[in-house]
Amino acid sequence: MASFNHFGVYGICQRDGRLLVIHKGRGPYSGRYDLPGGRLETGESLVDGLIREFVEETGYTVKVQQNLGTFDFFIPHNEDHFTQMHHMAALYQVELAGEEEPVAISMFDEQDSRGAEWVDYTRITLDSASPLAVYAAKFLRGEELPVTPEYYDDWEVKGS
């Protein structure tokens, strides 16, 4: 399989037993819940990129609490001449910066969030969410997060 690398930074934000997720509108996680986050811009730090991505995808401003580690997944995904995505993700725990209501999310060419939602993390499964969101639910349940890569050979894109 021809694989391309995708590195991004993502955050786990919870409130009252619910996880803040986005509705993914593009890519291999399309039609599923995903964590807010994504690629860094040129010269951007992990933390600055995470804070920017949260505002862009959810409308919320967050404060970073801790780095939970880096995780990776292999997902079947056709893009250009590639057939697989090697998704590498720096995962952080974050909290809302205040009690403000979220601002409207920005719409631009690279925007892949179709809106944000607070979801009971017990509803997060591989059938409804990205592997990253599943890791977030495991973390919130107090489970260990895997240190080895995970392969999802039978991955199904749900929609666009």
Side-chain angles (χ1 to χ4, degrees), residues 97-113:
E99 295 297 321
E100 78 277 357
E101 289 298 312
V103 298
I105 64 170
S106 303
M107 295 313 289
F108 50 91
D109 285 344
E110 296 297 314
Q111 178 64 282
D112 60 357
S113 173

Side-chain angles (χ1 to χ4, degrees), residues 5-10 38-40 46 70-71 86-90:
N5 293 334
H6 171 76
F7 176 81
V9 60
Y10 303 87
R39 290 186 175 124
L40 299 175
L46 293 169
T70 305
F71 304 92
H86 179 192
H87 190 183
M88 297 164 281

Side-chain angles (χ1 to χ4, degrees), residues 30-45:
S30 179
R32 297 173 187 262
Y33 298 129
D34 195 17
L35 292 183
R39 290 186 175 124
L40 299 175
E41 294 180 354
T42 302
E44 190 172 46
S45 72

Side-chain angles (χ1 to χ4, degrees), residues 9 11 13 20 22 35-38 44 47-63 94-98 100-108 111 113 115-116:
V9 60
C13 186
L20 182 59
I22 64 168
L35 292 183
E44 190 172 46
V47 168
D48 288 344
L50 181 58
I51 292 168
R52 175 188 52 76
E53 286 282 349
F54 257 84
V55 171
E56 287 179 0
E57 294 186 346
T58 71
Y60 285 107
T61 302
V62 294
K63 295 186 293 188
V94 302
E95 65 182 3
L96 296 180
E100 78 277 357
E101 289 298 312
V103 298
I105 64 170
S106 303
M107 295 313 289
F108 50 91
Q111 178 64 282
S113 173

